[in-house]
Amino acid sequence: MASIFSKIIDGAIPSRMLWEDDMCVSFLDVRPLAPGHALVVPRQECDLWTDLGASSAAHLTEVAHAVGRAQMSVFSPARIGLMIAGFEVPHTHLHVVPMHSMAQLDFTNANPNPDQALLDEYLLSLRSALIDAGHSATTSRR
């Protein structure tokens, strides 16, 4: 059975997609830990990130780096957190989180009902920052 992330990648579930390339996608989290919280997800379903090939893992990190730089530009947080937990969905995903404290990496603090209009604003701002940084893998898909 396809993971929820595979369904998002295939377009069966709507998302706020930031990035698409041959190996991965990045989209805003629907239960954000902070404004602009994004996920980087390989197209290939793989439960454990340690089962990914080294080049795939490196590519995910490169995309997370680009997304993190865009988040830094848009939100000016103290730090950009990067976390791979993997308990929520059995499909590797990197959390890229603008943060002002370590408490923002606590999933019990996730916003279960974020303002949808704000998420749309964050999406457009982050896409613009990625384009301004010269990244061509940004997407207009929703």
Side-chain angles (χ1 to χ4, degrees):
M1 181 175 192
S3 78
I4 190 168
F5 292 155
S6 290
K7 292 175 184 176
I8 289 169
I9 292 165
D10 292 341
I13 296 175
S15 67
R16 288 179 172 82
M17 193 67 65
L18 289 170
W19 181 287
E20 291 187 276
D21 65 29
D22 291 343
M23 294 180 71
C24 72
V25 300
S26 179
F27 49 88
L28 294 183
D29 197 306
V30 296
R31 291 178 39 89
L33 297 174
H37 175 185
L39 302 176
V40 178
V41 182
R43 289 182 179 275
Q44 165 196 356
E45 281 192 30
C46 181
D47 184 11
L48 303 175
W49 76 271
T50 51
D51 289 341
L52 289 172
S55 62
S56 293
H59 182 72
L60 293 177
T61 304
E62 289 173 15
V63 172
H65 183 264
V67 170
R69 290 180 62 88
Q71 290 169 329
M72 187 63 80
S73 171
V74 170
F75 299 104
S76 302
R79 297 277 189 268
I80 300 295
L82 180 62
M83 177 174 42
I84 305 172
F87 288 102
E88 317 84 33
V89 178
H91 187 148
T92 297
H93 54 289
L94 285 66
H95 293 267
V96 189
V97 184
M99 51 192 264
H100 294 281
S101 76
M102 287 295 291
Q104 288 180 277
L105 293 180
D106 182 346
F107 288 105
T108 62
N109 294 328
N111 183 349
N113 195 19
D115 182 308
Q116 300 301 301
L118 278 178
L119 291 178
D120 289 340
E121 287 180 34
Y122 300 157
L123 175 67
L124 294 176
S125 295
L126 288 167
R127 279 184 185 160
S128 180
L130 286 164
I131 290 166
D132 289 349
H135 298 289
S136 61
T138 59
T139 179
S140 59
R141 175 166 73 115
R142 278 236 16 193

